Amino acid sequence: MTGSTPAPTGKARICSNCDGFGSVAITLGGRDRHGHLRAITAHCPACNGLGTVPARRTHTRGVNA
């Protein structure tokens, strides 16, 4: 095959704190003078709003032969 091959990446896990919904919009109630709904965005502090966390590294112990 010709061309470059992409580097292997580890599997990302779904964040257990937010279940994959890293960012949410929260309505503040009411509307502004233009009629738009007032809302803020909140991000999951564990995954920084990504919804995934890096896969855990498995530690292997060396075997003394």
Side-chain angles (χ1 to χ4, degrees), residues 29-42:
R31 297 184 180 268
D32 64 7
R33 63 186 179 99
H34 298 288
H36 299 136
L37 190 63
R38 293 181 4 211
I40 59 171
T41 304

Side-chain angles (χ1 to χ4, degrees), residues 11-33:
K11 285 187 153 186
R13 297 180 307 128
I14 293 177
C15 177
S16 62
N17 292 333
C18 64
D19 290 328
F21 296 95
S23 298
V24 294
I26 302 170
T27 60
L28 300 174
R31 297 184 180 268
D32 64 7
R33 63 186 179 99

